[in-house]
Amino acid sequence: MPILNVKVAAPASQELTHRIAEMLIDLTTRILKKKPAVTAIAIDYVPPEQWIVGGSPLSAQGKSSFYFDIKITDETNTKAEKAQYIREAFEQFERLLGNLHEESYIHVEDVRAAAYGYGGRTQEYRYHHG
């Protein structure tokens, strides 16, 4: 039941939104073993002239960038799985966006099961009550 909040330095595009969502669903399912049916993704676009790295807008640098965070229940994935997820997500965004700035970030956030949930129930509750 992860939620992903994605920011992309690019013009908004329904096609790009679809491609990003497909890619993230695949990575999240394949590497982190999360169920696609309860994975949510919110994608926001930021104009490259408003995305500043090193004091200069990406538009002036001829670069693209992204940031996303994903919240997962603590202790459900290993360090190796999270490292693979970060590596492959960066590579996939580089393929999608091209000329990716190294200062593009992924934050895998482990959240306590008792403090995280959906549908009005915590993950702790779901763990104990099936």
Side-chain angles (χ1 to χ4, degrees):
M1 64 146 259
I3 176 120
L4 293 87
N5 295 295
V6 183
K7 291 190 181 294
V8 181
S13 156
Q14 185 144 3
E15 179 186 345
L16 184 56
T17 297
H18 180 73
R19 292 175 70 193
I20 290 169
E22 277 187 336
M23 177 263 293
L24 290 173
I25 289 284
D26 172 66
L27 291 172
T28 304
T29 303
R30 182 171 48 82
I31 298 170
L32 300 180
K33 310 294 187 248
K34 306 305 180 195
K35 296 176 183 173
V38 292
T39 298
I41 303 171
I43 301 172
D44 292 313
Y45 289 90
V46 178
E49 61 272 10
Q50 294 177 5
W51 192 298
I52 312 301
V53 177
S56 179
L58 289 174
S59 58
Q61 298 180 44
K63 298 278 187 176
S64 60
S65 190
F66 72 93
Y67 164 84
F68 81 86
D69 61 59
I70 176 172
K71 291 172 180 57
I72 59 173
T73 306
D74 193 25
E75 299 183 4
T76 59
N77 291 101
T78 66
K79 286 181 182 181
E81 289 168 331
K82 290 181 271 189
Q84 178 184 355
Y85 185 79
I86 289 170
R87 183 180 62 253
E88 289 192 31
F90 188 91
E91 291 168 355
Q92 291 293 328
F93 268 102
E94 191 162 42
R95 285 187 193 107
L96 286 175
L97 301 176
N99 207 15
L100 195 59
H101 199 292
E102 184 176 46
E103 301 302 319
S104 298
Y105 297 97
I106 302 163
H107 178 204
V108 179
E109 184 176 357
D110 293 302
V111 199
R112 290 184 344 201
Y116 184 51
Y118 68 96
R121 298 218 163 101
T122 67
Q123 288 300 87
E124 183 76 14
Y125 177 90
R126 291 176 193 286
Y127 177 79
H128 290 293
H129 296 92

PDB file of all heavy atoms in Angstrom, residues 6-31:
ATOM      1  N   VAL A   6       5.481  12.170  -6.732  1.00  0.00           N
ATOM      2  CA  VAL A   6       6.489  12.347  -7.775  1.00  0.00           C
ATOM      3  C   VAL A   6       6.460  13.789  -8.276  1.00  0.00           C
ATOM      4  O   VAL A   6       5.390  14.330  -8.540  1.00  0.00           O
ATOM      5  CB  VAL A   6       6.221  11.392  -8.956  1.00  0.00           C
ATOM      6  CG1 VAL A   6       7.302  11.514 -10.017  1.00  0.00           C
ATOM      7  CG2 VAL A   6       6.071   9.948  -8.481  1.00  0.00           C
ATOM      8  N   LYS A   7       7.640  14.365  -8.424  1.00  0.00           N
ATOM      9  CA  LYS A   7       7.784  15.673  -9.071  1.00  0.00           C
ATOM     10  C   LYS A   7       8.744  15.493 -10.244  1.00  0.00           C
ATOM     11  O   LYS A   7       9.793  14.854 -10.100  1.00  0.00           O
ATOM     12  CB  LYS A   7       8.336  16.711  -8.112  1.00  0.00           C
ATOM     13  CG  LYS A   7       7.364  17.095  -7.020  1.00  0.00           C
ATOM     14  CD  LYS A   7       7.862  18.287  -6.238  1.00  0.00           C
ATOM     15  CE  LYS A   7       6.917  18.668  -5.129  1.00  0.00           C
ATOM     16  NZ  LYS A   7       5.635  19.149  -5.551  1.00  0.00           N
ATOM     17  N   VAL A   8       8.365  16.059 -11.386  1.00  0.00           N
ATOM     18  CA  VAL A   8       9.153  15.909 -12.595  1.00  0.00           C
ATOM     19  C   VAL A   8       9.391  17.292 -13.191  1.00  0.00           C
ATOM     20  O   VAL A   8       8.447  18.072 -13.347  1.00  0.00           O
ATOM     21  CB  VAL A   8       8.423  15.019 -13.628  1.00  0.00           C
ATOM     22  CG1 VAL A   8       9.256  14.836 -14.878  1.00  0.00           C
ATOM     23  CG2 VAL A   8       8.070  13.669 -13.027  1.00  0.00           C
ATOM     24  N   ALA A   9      10.644  17.588 -13.517  1.00  0.00           N
ATOM     25  CA  ALA A   9      10.975  18.850 -14.176  1.00  0.00           C
ATOM     26  C   ALA A   9      10.808  18.650 -15.676  1.00  0.00           C
ATOM     27  O   ALA A   9      11.737  18.271 -16.386  1.00  0.00           O
ATOM     28  CB  ALA A   9      12.401  19.275 -13.843  1.00  0.00           C
ATOM     29  N   ALA A  10       9.580  18.864 -16.142  1.00  0.00           N
ATOM     30  CA  ALA A  10       9.251  18.673 -17.552  1.00  0.00           C
ATOM     31  C   ALA A  10       7.878  19.268 -17.808  1.00  0.00           C
ATOM     32  O   ALA A  10       7.091  19.430 -16.870  1.00  0.00           O
ATOM     33  CB  ALA A  10       9.242  17.178 -17.903  1.00  0.00           C
ATOM     34  N   PRO A  11       7.571  19.563 -19.062  1.00  0.00           N
ATOM     35  CA  PRO A  11       6.209  19.990 -19.374  1.00  0.00           C
ATOM     36  C   PRO A  11       5.231  18.852 -19.094  1.00  0.00           C
ATOM     37  O   PRO A  11       5.535  17.675 -19.339  1.00  0.00           O
ATOM     38  CB  PRO A  11       6.264  20.303 -20.873  1.00  0.00           C
ATOM     39  CG  PRO A  11       7.719  20.487 -21.185  1.00  0.00           C
ATOM     40  CD  PRO A  11       8.462  19.615 -20.219  1.00  0.00           C
ATOM     41  N   ALA A  12       4.059  19.190 -18.569  1.00  0.00           N
ATOM     42  CA  ALA A  12       3.040  18.182 -18.269  1.00  0.00           C
ATOM     43  C   ALA A  12       2.620  17.470 -19.551  1.00  0.00           C
ATOM     44  O   ALA A  12       2.426  18.094 -20.589  1.00  0.00           O
ATOM     45  CB  ALA A  12       1.832  18.838 -17.614  1.00  0.00           C
ATOM     46  N   SER A  13       2.498  16.161 -19.446  1.00  0.00           N
ATOM     47  CA  SER A  13       2.139  15.344 -20.602  1.00  0.00           C
ATOM     48  C   SER A  13       1.399  14.102 -20.120  1.00  0.00           C
ATOM     49  O   SER A  13       1.906  13.391 -19.248  1.00  0.00           O
ATOM     50  CB  SER A  13       3.406  14.934 -21.357  1.00  0.00           C
ATOM     51  OG  SER A  13       3.229  13.766 -22.115  1.00  0.00           O
ATOM     52  N   GLN A  14       0.239  13.847 -20.694  1.00  0.00           N
ATOM     53  CA  GLN A  14      -0.509  12.650 -20.326  1.00  0.00           C
ATOM     54  C   GLN A  14       0.284  11.386 -20.666  1.00  0.00           C
ATOM     55  O   GLN A  14       0.281  10.425 -19.914  1.00  0.00           O
ATOM     56  CB  GLN A  14      -1.862  12.627 -21.020  1.00  0.00           C
ATOM     57  CG  GLN A  14      -2.716  11.465 -20.557  1.00  0.00           C
ATOM     58  CD  GLN A  14      -4.166  11.843 -20.477  1.00  0.00           C
ATOM     59  OE1 GLN A  14      -4.561  12.942 -20.810  1.00  0.00           O
ATOM     60  NE2 GLN A  14      -4.976  10.920 -20.012  1.00  0.00           N
ATOM     61  N   GLU A  15       0.986  11.403 -21.795  1.00  0.00           N
ATOM     62  CA  GLU A  15       1.790  10.241 -22.188  1.00  0.00           C
ATOM     63  C   GLU A  15       2.921   9.999 -21.190  1.00  0.00           C
ATOM     64  O   GLU A  15       3.154   8.863 -20.768  1.00  0.00           O
ATOM     65  CB  GLU A  15       2.378  10.433 -23.587  1.00  0.00           C
ATOM     66  CG  GLU A  15       3.244   9.258 -24.008  1.00  0.00           C
ATOM     67  CD  GLU A  15       3.955   9.481 -25.330  1.00  0.00           C
ATOM     68  OE1 GLU A  15       3.592  10.404 -26.072  1.00  0.00           O
ATOM     69  OE2 GLU A  15       4.887   8.705 -25.595  1.00  0.00           O
ATOM     70  N   LEU A  16       3.621  11.063 -20.789  1.00  0.00           N
ATOM     71  CA  LEU A  16       4.713  10.904 -19.822  1.00  0.00           C
ATOM     72  C   LEU A  16       4.169  10.458 -18.470  1.00  0.00           C
ATOM     73  O   LEU A  16       4.757   9.591 -17.818  1.00  0.00           O
ATOM     74  CB  LEU A  16       5.511  12.207 -19.686  1.00  0.00           C
ATOM     75  CG  LEU A  16       6.740  12.149 -18.780  1.00  0.00           C
ATOM     76  CD1 LEU A  16       7.716  11.051 -19.201  1.00  0.00           C
ATOM     77  CD2 LEU A  16       7.431  13.513 -18.761  1.00  0.00           C
ATOM     78  N   THR A  17       3.045  11.012 -18.056  1.00  0.00           N
ATOM     79  CA  THR A  17       2.411  10.593 -16.798  1.00  0.00           C
ATOM     80  C   THR A  17       2.131   9.097 -16.829  1.00  0.00           C
ATOM     81  O   THR A  17       2.442   8.374 -15.877  1.00  0.00           O
ATOM     82  CB  THR A  17       1.105  11.373 -16.565  1.00  0.00           C
ATOM     83  OG1 THR A  17       1.416  12.755 -16.423  1.00  0.00           O
ATOM     84  CG2 THR A  17       0.378  10.873 -15.321  1.00  0.00           C
ATOM     85  N   HIS A  18       1.571   8.617 -17.930  1.00  0.00           N
ATOM     86  CA  HIS A  18       1.253   7.196 -18.079  1.00  0.00           C
ATOM     87  C   HIS A  18       2.530   6.343 -18.032  1.00  0.00           C
ATOM     88  O   HIS A  18       2.573   5.319 -17.344  1.00  0.00           O
ATOM     89  CB  HIS A  18       0.486   6.970 -19.384  1.00  0.00           C
ATOM     90  CG  HIS A  18       0.119   5.562 -19.632  1.00  0.00           C
ATOM     91  ND1 HIS A  18      -0.871   4.915 -18.924  1.00  0.00           N
ATOM     92  CD2 HIS A  18       0.626   4.642 -20.493  1.00  0.00           C
ATOM     93  CE1 HIS A  18      -0.960   3.668 -19.354  1.00  0.00           C
ATOM     94  NE2 HIS A  18      -0.063   3.471 -20.300  1.00  0.00           N
ATOM     95  N   ARG A  19       3.567   6.777 -18.722  1.00  0.00           N
ATOM     96  CA  ARG A  19       4.820   6.013 -18.762  1.00  0.00           C
ATOM     97  C   ARG A  19       5.493   5.975 -17.387  1.00  0.00           C
ATOM     98  O   ARG A  19       6.014   4.940 -16.969  1.00  0.00           O
ATOM     99  CB  ARG A  19       5.751   6.585 -19.824  1.00  0.00           C
ATOM    100  CG  ARG A  19       5.200   6.346 -21.239  1.00  0.00           C
ATOM    101  CD  ARG A  19       6.025   6.997 -22.299  1.00  0.00           C
ATOM    102  NE  ARG A  19       7.306   6.303 -22.411  1.00  0.00           N
ATOM    103  CZ  ARG A  19       8.342   6.788 -23.070  1.00  0.00           C
ATOM    104  NH1 ARG A  19       8.270   7.948 -23.666  1.00  0.00           N
ATOM    105  NH2 ARG A  19       9.458   6.109 -23.126  1.00  0.00           N
ATOM    106  N   ILE A  20       5.477   7.112 -16.669  1.00  0.00           N
ATOM    107  CA  ILE A  20       6.056   7.152 -15.318  1.00  0.00           C
ATOM    108  C   ILE A  20       5.280   6.231 -14.388  1.00  0.00           C
ATOM    109  O   ILE A  20       5.864   5.452 -13.633  1.00  0.00           O
ATOM    110  CB  ILE A  20       6.078   8.597 -14.771  1.00  0.00           C
ATOM    111  CG1 ILE A  20       7.104   9.433 -15.532  1.00  0.00           C
ATOM    112  CG2 ILE A  20       6.369   8.608 -13.266  1.00  0.00           C
ATOM    113  CD1 ILE A  20       7.022  10.928 -15.252  1.00  0.00           C
ATOM    114  N   ALA A  21       3.957   6.312 -14.446  1.00  0.00           N
ATOM    115  CA  ALA A  21       3.127   5.469 -13.574  1.00  0.00           C
ATOM    116  C   ALA A  21       3.363   3.987 -13.858  1.00  0.00           C
ATOM    117  O   ALA A  21       3.537   3.196 -12.921  1.00  0.00           O
ATOM    118  CB  ALA A  21       1.656   5.824 -13.744  1.00  0.00           C
ATOM    119  N   GLU A  22       3.394   3.609 -15.119  1.00  0.00           N
ATOM    120  CA  GLU A  22       3.651   2.197 -15.474  1.00  0.00           C
ATOM    121  C   GLU A  22       5.001   1.741 -14.949  1.00  0.00           C
ATOM    122  O   GLU A  22       5.135   0.654 -14.400  1.00  0.00           O
ATOM    123  CB  GLU A  22       3.615   2.013 -16.991  1.00  0.00           C
ATOM    124  CG  GLU A  22       2.257   1.849 -17.574  1.00  0.00           C
ATOM    125  CD  GLU A  22       2.317   1.491 -19.061  1.00  0.00           C
ATOM    126  OE1 GLU A  22       3.333   1.801 -19.742  1.00  0.00           O
ATOM    127  OE2 GLU A  22       1.340   0.896 -19.531  1.00  0.00           O
ATOM    128  N   MET A  23       6.014   2.561 -15.141  1.00  0.00           N
ATOM    129  CA  MET A  23       7.365   2.217 -14.714  1.00  0.00           C
ATOM    130  C   MET A  23       7.434   2.063 -13.195  1.00  0.00           C
ATOM    131  O   MET A  23       7.998   1.096 -12.686  1.00  0.00           O
ATOM    132  CB  MET A  23       8.339   3.308 -15.198  1.00  0.00           C
ATOM    133  CG  MET A  23       9.779   3.115 -14.759  1.00  0.00           C
ATOM    134  SD  MET A  23      10.220   4.064 -13.278  1.00  0.00           S
ATOM    135  CE  MET A  23      10.128   5.741 -13.868  1.00  0.00           C
ATOM    136  N   LEU A  24       6.822   2.990 -12.466  1.00  0.00           N
ATOM    137  CA  LEU A  24       6.876   2.923 -11.007  1.00  0.00           C
ATOM    138  C   LEU A  24       6.056   1.762 -10.452  1.00  0.00           C
ATOM    139  O   LEU A  24       6.468   1.122  -9.479  1.00  0.00           O
ATOM    140  CB  LEU A  24       6.438   4.252 -10.396  1.00  0.00           C
ATOM    141  CG  LEU A  24       7.429   5.402 -10.599  1.00  0.00           C
ATOM    142  CD1 LEU A  24       6.844   6.711 -10.105  1.00  0.00           C
ATOM    143  CD2 LEU A  24       8.766   5.107  -9.926  1.00  0.00           C
ATOM    144  N   ILE A  25       4.930   1.466 -11.070  1.00  0.00           N
ATOM    145  CA  ILE A  25       4.146   0.292 -10.651  1.00  0.00           C
ATOM    146  C   ILE A  25       4.972  -0.972 -10.856  1.00  0.00           C
ATOM    147  O   ILE A  25       5.036  -1.846  -9.984  1.00  0.00           O
ATOM    148  CB  ILE A  25       2.810   0.198 -11.415  1.00  0.00           C
ATOM    149  CG1 ILE A  25       1.856   1.294 -10.960  1.00  0.00           C
ATOM    150  CG2 ILE A  25       2.183  -1.182 -11.267  1.00  0.00           C
ATOM    151  CD1 ILE A  25       1.202   1.079  -9.619  1.00  0.00           C
ATOM    152  N   ASP A  26       5.634  -1.073 -12.008  1.00  0.00           N
ATOM    153  CA  ASP A  26       6.462  -2.256 -12.287  1.00  0.00           C
ATOM    154  C   ASP A  26       7.583  -2.396 -11.255  1.00  0.00           C
ATOM    155  O   ASP A  26       7.753  -3.471 -10.673  1.00  0.00           O
ATOM    156  CB  ASP A  26       7.065  -2.170 -13.692  1.00  0.00           C
ATOM    157  CG  ASP A  26       8.080  -3.273 -13.931  1.00  0.00           C
ATOM    158  OD1 ASP A  26       7.684  -4.464 -13.955  1.00  0.00           O
ATOM    159  OD2 ASP A  26       9.289  -2.957 -14.058  1.00  0.00           O
ATOM    160  N   LEU A  27       8.342  -1.323 -11.021  1.00  0.00           N
ATOM    161  CA  LEU A  27       9.456  -1.389 -10.063  1.00  0.00           C
ATOM    162  C   LEU A  27       8.967  -1.694  -8.651  1.00  0.00           C
ATOM    163  O   LEU A  27       9.567  -2.500  -7.942  1.00  0.00           O
ATOM    164  CB  LEU A  27      10.225  -0.067 -10.058  1.00  0.00           C
ATOM    165  CG  LEU A  27      11.024   0.284 -11.300  1.00  0.00           C
ATOM    166  CD1 LEU A  27      11.565   1.702 -11.192  1.00  0.00           C
ATOM    167  CD2 LEU A  27      12.146  -0.707 -11.525  1.00  0.00           C
ATOM    168  N   THR A  28       7.883  -1.036  -8.256  1.00  0.00           N
ATOM    169  CA  THR A  28       7.366  -1.195  -6.899  1.00  0.00           C
ATOM    170  C   THR A  28       6.842  -2.611  -6.672  1.00  0.00           C
ATOM    171  O   THR A  28       7.013  -3.183  -5.601  1.00  0.00           O
ATOM    172  CB  THR A  28       6.282  -0.136  -6.631  1.00  0.00           C
ATOM    173  OG1 THR A  28       6.852   1.165  -6.860  1.00  0.00           O
ATOM    174  CG2 THR A  28       5.765  -0.204  -5.212  1.00  0.00           C
ATOM    175  N   THR A  29       6.239  -3.188  -7.700  1.00  0.00           N
ATOM    176  CA  THR A  29       5.724  -4.558  -7.612  1.00  0.00           C
ATOM    177  C   THR A  29       6.860  -5.578  -7.679  1.00  0.00           C
ATOM    178  O   THR A  29       6.951  -6.477  -6.852  1.00  0.00           O
ATOM    179  CB  THR A  29       4.722  -4.824  -8.750  1.00  0.00           C
ATOM    180  OG1 THR A  29       3.668  -3.861  -8.672  1.00  0.00           O
ATOM    181  CG2 THR A  29       4.147  -6.225  -8.672  1.00  0.00           C
ATOM    182  N   ARG A  30       7.730  -5.400  -8.652  1.00  0.00           N
ATOM    183  CA  ARG A  30       8.786  -6.383  -8.907  1.00  0.00           C
ATOM    184  C   ARG A  30       9.858  -6.390  -7.822  1.00  0.00           C
ATOM    185  O   ARG A  30      10.276  -7.451  -7.357  1.00  0.00           O
ATOM    186  CB  ARG A  30       9.406  -6.096 -10.282  1.00  0.00           C
ATOM    187  CG  ARG A  30      10.487  -7.066 -10.702  1.00  0.00           C
ATOM    188  CD  ARG A  30      10.898  -6.865 -12.150  1.00  0.00           C
ATOM    189  NE  ARG A  30      11.162  -5.495 -12.528  1.00  0.00           N
ATOM    190  CZ  ARG A  30      12.312  -4.858 -12.307  1.00  0.00           C
ATOM    191  NH1 ARG A  30      13.308  -5.479 -11.697  1.00  0.00           N
ATOM    192  NH2 ARG A  30      12.484  -3.610 -12.704  1.00  0.00           N
ATOM    193  N   ILE A  31      10.301  -5.228  -7.393  1.00  0.00           N
ATOM    194  CA  ILE A  31      11.429  -5.171  -6.456  1.00  0.00           C
ATOM    195  C   ILE A  31      10.963  -5.125  -5.001  1.00  0.00           C
ATOM    196  O   ILE A  31      11.488  -5.845  -4.157  1.00  0.00           O
ATOM    197  CB  ILE A  31      12.326  -3.962  -6.766  1.00  0.00           C
ATOM    198  CG1 ILE A  31      12.905  -4.101  -8.180  1.00  0.00           C
ATOM    199  CG2 ILE A  31      13.449  -3.836  -5.733  1.00  0.00           C
ATOM    200  CD1 ILE A  31      13.618  -2.872  -8.691  1.00  0.00           C
TER     201      ILE A  31
END
